[in-house]
C-alpha cells in the first residue's frame, strides 16, 4: 500500500529532493504559490485528470495575482 499522507507518491515521495512540499518550503512560496507548485507537480499523478489539477493551479495563480494587484 502506498503512503497517502506523509510523502505520498503523487508528490514525489520521501526520497525525492523535488517533492512538492520540499520545494515550496525551500523557496518560501507561501499558500497561493505553494498550491500552484503542488497542483502542477502532481498533475496526472494522483488521478488521471491532469486538466483538473492544472485548472486548480491556474485558480490559485489568478487569486495570487489579484491579491498582488490590490
Amino acid at each position: 500500500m502506498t503512503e497517502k499522507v506523509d510523502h505520498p507518491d503523487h508528490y514525489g515521495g520521501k526520497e525525492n529532493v523535488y517533492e512538492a512540499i520540499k520545494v515550496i518550503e525551500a523557496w518560501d512560496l507561501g499558500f497561493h504559490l505553494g498550491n500552484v507548485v503542488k497542483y502542477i507537480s502532481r498533475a496526472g499523478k494522483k488521478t488521471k485528470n491532469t486538466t483538473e489539477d492544472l485548472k486548480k493551479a491556474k485558480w490559485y495563480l489568478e487569486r495570487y495575482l489579484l491579491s498582488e494587484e490590490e
Side-chain angles (χ1 to χ4, degrees):
M1 183 171 166
T2 61
E3 178 61 52
K4 293 187 178 189
V5 177
D6 191 24
H7 307 288
D9 290 341
H10 57 272
Y11 289 124
K14 187 175 186 174
E15 302 305 317
N16 186 341
V17 297
Y18 301 110
E19 182 184 19
I21 190 67
K22 294 173 189 169
V23 171
I24 291 164
E25 290 174 347
W27 293 351
D28 195 27
L29 293 178
F31 184 75
H32 291 95
L33 294 180
N35 276 312
V36 172
V37 167
K38 175 182 77 170
Y39 283 115
I40 289 172
S41 69
R42 81 168 200 191
K45 294 178 183 141
K46 185 173 182 181
T47 69
K48 297 298 177 196
N49 194 344
T50 301
T51 302
E52 183 177 289
D53 282 332
L54 295 176
K55 284 181 178 180
K56 288 177 183 178
K58 179 183 173 203
W59 187 88
Y60 278 103
L61 181 57
E62 288 174 344
R63 192 149 172 99
Y64 174 81
L65 292 170
L66 282 173
S67 71
E68 288 294 303
E69 291 172 357
E70 292 178 350

